[in-house]
Amino acid sequence: MPKLKVDGVELEVPAGATILQACELAGKEIPRFCYHERLSIAGNCRMCLVEVKPGPPKPQASCALPAAEGQEIRTDSEMVKKAREGVMEFLLINHPLDCPICDQGGECDLQDQSVAYGRGGSRYHEDKRAVTQKTMGPLIKTIMTRCIHCTRCVRFSEEVAGVDEIGALYRGEGMEITTYLEQAAKHELSANVIDLCPVGALTSRPYAFEARPWELKKTLGIDVSDAIGANIRIDSRGREVLRILPRVNDDVNEEWLADRGRYLVDGLTRRRLDRPWLRVDNTLQPVTWGEALAAVGRINPGSSVAVVAGDMVDCETQFAAATLAKALGSTMLEGRQTGLAYDTGNLAAVAFNTTLAGIENADAILIYGSHVRDEAPLLNPRLRKAVKKGAKVWIIGPWWEPTYPATHLGDDAGAIGSLPDDMADVFAKAQRPAIIIGGGALAKGGLATGLAFAESYNLVRDGWNGFNVLHFAAARMGGLMLGYAQAGGIADLVDAKPKLLISLGADEVDFTKFAGSMIVHIGHHGDKAAHVADVILPAAAFTEKDGTYVNTEGRVQYGEKAVFAPGDAREDWAIIRALADALNVSVGFDSFAELRAAMVAAVPALGVEGLADYGALAAVPAGASASGVIGYAVKDRYLTNAIGRASPTLQRCSAELIHGEILAEAAE
C-alpha cells in the first residue's frame, strides 16, 4: 500500500487507487464531471486537475493517474485553481444560460462546480454553437446544446446495461451525443442516464417542469415493481408523489433503478379506488364504510374464508389478513396468484441464496426458466460483471437477448436432464457454479430438477451456495415466510369453494373460478380484481403506508409512508381491523405498532433488517422431473401490475417500445 502526501497530510492508500481516490480518502473534494465510481475512466472533462510531485510542472487529471509511493499532491495550489477556472471557462463556452427553465436546476453538478471552482466571468464572446435535440424515447428529454461530452451516458449504456444504443458522432467542436440512428433508447435501464448526466442535457420527460428539488419532501422507500427490492427515494409535494429516484445500496441495486420502478409514479394518482363500493344487482354502487362492512358481516362465512395476497403487498398486511383468517378458523392463504404450486417446506430452496452481489463471483451460471431482463432488470448488470470475470452462461427457456455471451439449450424444461458434454465439464470443474430458477421453470416442476442439478454439480459447498430461485413478486418471499402457500397452490382454494374470498390487491387471479364466493377486494386501483369484486374496500398504495418487504434473496427491508391515501381510502391493516369487528372476531391489535410487534413475535426474522437465515438446502425429492415448454411470466415488462397499468408513461412505453406503435407528438 503506497504512502503519499495530500496537501501536506501523509496517508496510506490501497494499491491500485487513483490520485482522485487518494484525495477523497484525505477528505479533499475533487470536482469532476466524467469520472464516476461505477464506470470506466474516461479522463475527458479535465475538471479534476491537481498538482503532483515528482512529475512535470503542470496540472494533471487525478482520475486517470495511479497513486504511487512518495507522491506529493496539491489540490489547492494557485496552479490548480487557475487550471480549474480555465477548464470551467471552456466547458461553459457553448453552454446556454437557461438555468431558470432547466429541470436540473438545484441539483446540477455544473451549477455547483461553476460557483465553487469557476471564474466570475468569461473571456469568450464568440457565437455559441447549437445542437439539434435527439430522439431518446418517451422517458428521456434531451436538450443536447447543454451537453459537455462527459460520456457518462455512453459508458453506462455499454458497460452496465450492455446495450450499445448511445454514442458520439463527429469530432472536435462538431461532436454530438446521440442514439443509434436516432432511435429511442429501448432497454429496461435506460432512464439511469438521467441520474448520471451532470448537466441538464438528459432529463426526465414525464417529470419536466413539475417541481424544484427544494419543494419536495424526501422519503425512503422500497421498489415493489419486482422482487429485487431496490432502495428508492420517494419525492412528494403535498399529497402527491412526483418522482421516484434510486438510493445507493451496494448489496441490492447499487445505485440503479429499472424504468418501470421509476416511472410507475404517475399511475399512483390515476384509476384510484378512493371510496367503498358494493355490488347491487350486478352493478357496483358507491357506499359508506359502514354499509360496505355491514355487507361483509352479513354473509356469516364461519371458517369458509380464503385470502389471496397480491404481488405488491407488505408483510404487515399479509400478517393481519392471516390473523383474521386464523381467528375465523381458516388456514387458506395463498400468494402465488397465477397458480404456481412448488414445495415451500424449506425456504432456502426458494430463495436467491448466492445473493445479488454474490452472483458476480460465479464462474458458471445456468439460467433456468427466467427472462432476467424483464423479471429482474437489476440482476442483469450483475450477471454481466460475472461474465466479464470469465463466467460462462447457459439459458433454458424461450430465447431472449442477454447482454453477454450465452448458450441457448432449448425451450423445454426437461433440457436440464440432458446437458451438453462441454457444459457438464465446465460445471464439474467450476469453483463457484450457480443456477437461477425462474417462474417459468417453477411452473413446469423445475424446482425439484433444479435441486437435483445442484446436488449433481455440488452447487452448495463451503463458503458458496449457488442455488437460486428468482421470484418476480415483491410480496413473494414475505408471503412464504408468513405461510401464504397451499400444497396445491391456488387450486386448493378453488376446490375449497370458500364463502368469503379476501383479495389483498390480487389483480392477477382468475376470479371466474371463484364464482360462488363473495369477493372482498382490498386494493388501491380499479384494475382486474375491482371489476369482479362484490365489495371494494379502498386501500393505500406502497407510497402511502409503512411496510416491511422481503426481496428474492430473503433480505428484510422497510419502506416508509410518503403521502396520505386519497379520499376515503385507508391503510390496509386498519381495513382488516375493521373487518374483524364486522365478522365478530378479535385479531389482537389496534394500531400499526401492535400489528408489527405481533408479526415479529410470530416470525422473528421479519424484525431484523438484512438477510434472513433460512438454514440448509432441502434434500432432492424422489423422482424429480420437469417437462413442457417454458413460458415466461412477464408478457410486457412495463405493465406488470395495477399501478403500472394505470400509468400513462408506462402505457406509452409499452405501446412505443414493446409494440412498435408510432405516437404522434406536437412540436415543442
Short mmCIF file of all heavy atoms in Angstrom, two decimals, residues 302-341:
data_model
loop_
_atom_site.label_atom_id
_atom_site.label_comp_id
_atom_site.label_asym_id
_atom_site.label_seq_id
_atom_site.Cartn_x
_atom_site.Cartn_y
_atom_site.Cartn_z
N GLY A 302 -68.30 -18.24 8.65
CA GLY A 302 -67.71 -19.27 9.50
C GLY A 302 -66.23 -19.40 9.20
O GLY A 302 -65.52 -18.41 9.11
N SER A 303 -65.76 -20.62 9.01
CA SER A 303 -64.35 -20.83 8.68
C SER A 303 -64.11 -20.94 7.18
O SER A 303 -62.99 -21.19 6.75
CB SER A 303 -63.84 -22.10 9.37
OG SER A 303 -64.57 -23.24 8.90
N SER A 304 -65.16 -20.74 6.40
CA SER A 304 -65.03 -20.85 4.94
C SER A 304 -64.53 -19.53 4.36
O SER A 304 -65.25 -18.81 3.67
CB SER A 304 -66.37 -21.24 4.32
OG SER A 304 -66.24 -21.45 2.93
N VAL A 305 -63.27 -19.23 4.68
CA VAL A 305 -62.65 -17.96 4.28
C VAL A 305 -61.30 -18.26 3.65
O VAL A 305 -60.55 -19.11 4.14
CB VAL A 305 -62.46 -17.03 5.50
CG1 VAL A 305 -61.74 -15.75 5.08
CG2 VAL A 305 -63.79 -16.70 6.14
N ALA A 306 -60.98 -17.57 2.57
CA ALA A 306 -59.67 -17.70 1.94
C ALA A 306 -59.11 -16.31 1.67
O ALA A 306 -59.86 -15.36 1.45
CB ALA A 306 -59.76 -18.49 0.64
N VAL A 307 -57.77 -16.20 1.70
CA VAL A 307 -57.09 -14.92 1.45
C VAL A 307 -56.08 -15.12 0.33
O VAL A 307 -55.28 -16.06 0.36
CB VAL A 307 -56.37 -14.41 2.71
CG1 VAL A 307 -55.69 -13.07 2.42
CG2 VAL A 307 -57.34 -14.28 3.89
N VAL A 308 -56.12 -14.24 -0.66
CA VAL A 308 -55.13 -14.25 -1.74
C VAL A 308 -54.37 -12.93 -1.69
O VAL A 308 -54.98 -11.86 -1.75
CB VAL A 308 -55.79 -14.43 -3.12
CG1 VAL A 308 -54.71 -14.49 -4.20
CG2 VAL A 308 -56.63 -15.68 -3.16
N ALA A 309 -53.06 -13.00 -1.57
CA ALA A 309 -52.22 -11.79 -1.48
C ALA A 309 -51.68 -11.43 -2.86
O ALA A 309 -51.23 -12.30 -3.62
CB ALA A 309 -51.07 -12.01 -0.51
N GLY A 310 -51.68 -10.15 -3.18
CA GLY A 310 -51.16 -9.67 -4.44
C GLY A 310 -49.65 -9.55 -4.43
O GLY A 310 -48.97 -9.84 -3.44
N ASP A 311 -49.11 -9.08 -5.54
CA ASP A 311 -47.66 -9.05 -5.74
C ASP A 311 -46.96 -7.90 -5.03
O ASP A 311 -45.74 -7.93 -4.86
CB ASP A 311 -47.33 -8.97 -7.23
CG ASP A 311 -47.65 -10.26 -7.96
OD1 ASP A 311 -47.90 -11.27 -7.28
OD2 ASP A 311 -47.67 -10.25 -9.21
N MET A 312 -47.70 -6.86 -4.63
CA MET A 312 -47.06 -5.66 -4.07
C MET A 312 -47.41 -5.43 -2.60
O MET A 312 -47.20 -4.35 -2.07
CB MET A 312 -47.48 -4.43 -4.88
CG MET A 312 -47.08 -4.50 -6.34
SD MET A 312 -47.48 -2.98 -7.25
CE MET A 312 -49.26 -3.10 -7.29
N VAL A 313 -47.91 -6.45 -1.93
CA VAL A 313 -48.41 -6.28 -0.56
C VAL A 313 -47.27 -6.39 0.44
O VAL A 313 -46.38 -7.23 0.31
CB VAL A 313 -49.49 -7.33 -0.26
CG1 VAL A 313 -50.12 -7.06 1.10
CG2 VAL A 313 -50.56 -7.31 -1.34
N ASP A 314 -47.31 -5.55 1.46
CA ASP A 314 -46.30 -5.60 2.51
C ASP A 314 -46.58 -6.73 3.48
O ASP A 314 -47.69 -7.29 3.53
CB ASP A 314 -46.26 -4.26 3.26
CG ASP A 314 -47.61 -3.89 3.84
OD1 ASP A 314 -48.52 -3.55 3.05
OD2 ASP A 314 -47.78 -3.97 5.06
N CYS A 315 -45.60 -7.08 4.29
CA CYS A 315 -45.72 -8.20 5.21
C CYS A 315 -46.76 -7.95 6.30
O CYS A 315 -47.47 -8.87 6.72
CB CYS A 315 -44.36 -8.51 5.86
SG CYS A 315 -43.14 -9.15 4.70
N GLU A 316 -46.85 -6.71 6.78
CA GLU A 316 -47.83 -6.40 7.83
C GLU A 316 -49.25 -6.67 7.36
O GLU A 316 -50.07 -7.23 8.11
CB GLU A 316 -47.69 -4.95 8.28
CG GLU A 316 -46.49 -4.67 9.15
CD GLU A 316 -45.22 -4.43 8.36
OE1 GLU A 316 -45.27 -4.54 7.12
OE2 GLU A 316 -44.18 -4.14 8.97
N THR A 317 -49.57 -6.29 6.14
CA THR A 317 -50.90 -6.53 5.61
C THR A 317 -51.18 -8.03 5.51
O THR A 317 -52.27 -8.50 5.86
CB THR A 317 -51.05 -5.87 4.23
OG1 THR A 317 -50.89 -4.46 4.36
CG2 THR A 317 -52.40 -6.17 3.61
N GLN A 318 -50.20 -8.78 5.03
CA GLN A 318 -50.38 -10.22 4.91
C GLN A 318 -50.55 -10.88 6.28
O GLN A 318 -51.38 -11.78 6.46
CB GLN A 318 -49.19 -10.84 4.18
CG GLN A 318 -49.08 -10.38 2.73
CD GLN A 318 -47.96 -11.07 1.98
OE1 GLN A 318 -48.07 -12.24 1.60
NE2 GLN A 318 -46.86 -10.36 1.76
N PHE A 319 -49.78 -10.42 7.26
CA PHE A 319 -49.90 -10.99 8.60
C PHE A 319 -51.25 -10.65 9.21
O PHE A 319 -51.89 -11.50 9.85
CB PHE A 319 -48.78 -10.47 9.50
CG PHE A 319 -48.86 -11.00 10.91
CD1 PHE A 319 -48.45 -12.30 11.21
CD2 PHE A 319 -49.36 -10.21 11.93
CE1 PHE A 319 -48.54 -12.79 12.50
CE2 PHE A 319 -49.45 -10.69 13.23
CZ PHE A 319 -49.04 -11.99 13.52
N ALA A 320 -51.72 -9.41 9.01
CA ALA A 320 -53.02 -9.01 9.54
C ALA A 320 -54.14 -9.87 8.95
O ALA A 320 -55.04 -10.34 9.66
CB ALA A 320 -53.27 -7.53 9.27
N ALA A 321 -54.07 -10.08 7.62
CA ALA A 321 -55.10 -10.90 6.97
C ALA A 321 -55.02 -12.36 7.42
O ALA A 321 -56.04 -13.03 7.59
CB ALA A 321 -54.95 -10.80 5.46
N ALA A 322 -53.79 -12.86 7.61
CA ALA A 322 -53.63 -14.23 8.10
C ALA A 322 -54.19 -14.37 9.52
O ALA A 322 -54.80 -15.40 9.87
CB ALA A 322 -52.15 -14.62 8.07
N THR A 323 -53.98 -13.34 10.34
CA THR A 323 -54.52 -13.35 11.70
C THR A 323 -56.04 -13.36 11.68
O THR A 323 -56.69 -14.07 12.47
CB THR A 323 -54.00 -12.13 12.47
OG1 THR A 323 -52.58 -12.12 12.45
CG2 THR A 323 -54.48 -12.16 13.92
N LEU A 324 -56.64 -12.59 10.77
CA LEU A 324 -58.10 -12.58 10.63
C LEU A 324 -58.61 -13.95 10.20
O LEU A 324 -59.59 -14.47 10.76
CB LEU A 324 -58.50 -11.52 9.61
CG LEU A 324 -59.99 -11.46 9.24
CD1 LEU A 324 -60.84 -11.15 10.47
CD2 LEU A 324 -60.24 -10.42 8.14
N ALA A 325 -57.94 -14.55 9.21
CA ALA A 325 -58.37 -15.88 8.76
C ALA A 325 -58.25 -16.90 9.89
O ALA A 325 -59.14 -17.74 10.07
CB ALA A 325 -57.52 -16.30 7.56
N LYS A 326 -57.16 -16.83 10.64
CA LYS A 326 -56.97 -17.76 11.75
C LYS A 326 -58.05 -17.58 12.81
O LYS A 326 -58.57 -18.56 13.37
CB LYS A 326 -55.59 -17.54 12.36
CG LYS A 326 -55.26 -18.51 13.49
CD LYS A 326 -53.85 -18.25 14.03
CE LYS A 326 -53.53 -19.21 15.18
NZ LYS A 326 -52.16 -18.93 15.72
N ALA A 327 -58.43 -16.34 13.08
CA ALA A 327 -59.48 -16.08 14.07
C ALA A 327 -60.82 -16.65 13.61
O ALA A 327 -61.66 -17.03 14.44
CB ALA A 327 -59.60 -14.57 14.30
N LEU A 328 -61.01 -16.74 12.31
CA LEU A 328 -62.24 -17.32 11.77
C LEU A 328 -62.13 -18.84 11.62
O LEU A 328 -63.11 -19.48 11.21
CB LEU A 328 -62.55 -16.69 10.41
CG LEU A 328 -62.97 -15.21 10.44
CD1 LEU A 328 -62.90 -14.61 9.05
CD2 LEU A 328 -64.37 -15.07 11.03
N GLY A 329 -60.94 -19.39 11.89
CA GLY A 329 -60.76 -20.83 11.81
C GLY A 329 -60.27 -21.34 10.47
O GLY A 329 -60.43 -22.52 10.16
N SER A 330 -59.67 -20.48 9.67
CA SER A 330 -59.22 -20.86 8.33
C SER A 330 -57.71 -20.76 8.21
O SER A 330 -57.08 -19.90 8.82
CB SER A 330 -59.88 -19.97 7.28
OG SER A 330 -59.33 -20.20 5.99
N THR A 331 -57.12 -21.63 7.41
CA THR A 331 -55.69 -21.56 7.08
C THR A 331 -55.48 -21.45 5.57
O THR A 331 -54.41 -21.74 5.06
CB THR A 331 -54.95 -22.80 7.61
OG1 THR A 331 -55.55 -23.98 7.03
CG2 THR A 331 -55.02 -22.88 9.12
N MET A 332 -56.53 -21.06 4.84
CA MET A 332 -56.45 -20.98 3.38
C MET A 332 -55.83 -19.64 2.96
O MET A 332 -56.52 -18.63 2.82
CB MET A 332 -57.82 -21.17 2.76
CG MET A 332 -58.36 -22.59 2.88
SD MET A 332 -59.85 -22.88 1.91
CE MET A 332 -61.04 -21.95 2.85
N LEU A 333 -54.51 -19.65 2.82
CA LEU A 333 -53.75 -18.46 2.44
C LEU A 333 -52.91 -18.77 1.21
O LEU A 333 -52.28 -19.82 1.15
CB LEU A 333 -52.81 -18.02 3.58
CG LEU A 333 -53.41 -17.89 4.98
CD1 LEU A 333 -52.29 -17.66 5.99
CD2 LEU A 333 -54.42 -16.76 5.04
N GLU A 334 -52.90 -17.88 0.25
CA GLU A 334 -52.11 -18.11 -0.96
C GLU A 334 -51.65 -16.79 -1.55
O GLU A 334 -52.40 -15.81 -1.56
CB GLU A 334 -52.93 -18.90 -2.00
CG GLU A 334 -52.16 -19.28 -3.25
CD GLU A 334 -50.90 -20.08 -2.94
OE1 GLU A 334 -51.01 -21.26 -2.56
OE2 GLU A 334 -49.80 -19.49 -3.07
N GLY A 335 -50.41 -16.75 -2.02
CA GLY A 335 -49.89 -15.54 -2.63
C GLY A 335 -49.45 -15.74 -4.07
O GLY A 335 -49.12 -14.77 -4.76
N ARG A 336 -49.41 -16.98 -4.53
CA ARG A 336 -48.97 -17.26 -5.90
C ARG A 336 -50.20 -17.19 -6.80
O ARG A 336 -50.83 -18.21 -7.09
CB ARG A 336 -48.28 -18.62 -5.95
CG ARG A 336 -47.03 -18.67 -5.08
CD ARG A 336 -46.53 -20.08 -4.83
NE ARG A 336 -47.45 -20.85 -4.01
CZ ARG A 336 -47.26 -22.10 -3.62
NH1 ARG A 336 -46.14 -22.71 -3.97
NH2 ARG A 336 -48.15 -22.74 -2.90
N GLN A 337 -50.51 -16.00 -7.28
CA GLN A 337 -51.79 -15.73 -7.92
C GLN A 337 -52.05 -16.53 -9.19
O GLN A 337 -53.18 -16.87 -9.50
CB GLN A 337 -51.89 -14.25 -8.27
CG GLN A 337 -51.78 -13.31 -7.10
CD GLN A 337 -51.88 -11.87 -7.55
OE1 GLN A 337 -52.91 -11.42 -8.02
NE2 GLN A 337 -50.77 -11.15 -7.46
N THR A 338 -50.98 -16.80 -9.93
CA THR A 338 -51.15 -17.39 -11.26
C THR A 338 -51.19 -18.91 -11.25
O THR A 338 -51.23 -19.54 -12.31
CB THR A 338 -50.04 -16.91 -12.20
OG1 THR A 338 -48.76 -17.21 -11.61
CG2 THR A 338 -50.14 -15.41 -12.42
N GLY A 339 -51.14 -19.55 -10.06
CA GLY A 339 -51.31 -20.99 -9.99
C GLY A 339 -50.08 -21.80 -9.71
O GLY A 339 -50.13 -23.03 -9.75
N LEU A 340 -48.93 -21.19 -9.45
CA LEU A 340 -47.73 -21.95 -9.11
C LEU A 340 -47.96 -22.76 -7.83
O LEU A 340 -48.67 -22.31 -6.92
CB LEU A 340 -46.53 -21.02 -8.91
CG LEU A 340 -46.06 -20.24 -10.15
CD1 LEU A 340 -44.90 -19.32 -9.78
CD2 LEU A 340 -45.62 -21.20 -11.25
N ALA A 341 -47.36 -23.95 -7.77
CA ALA A 341 -47.61 -24.83 -6.63
C ALA A 341 -46.37 -25.60 -6.24
O ALA A 341 -46.42 -26.79 -5.98
CB ALA A 341 -48.75 -25.80 -6.96
#
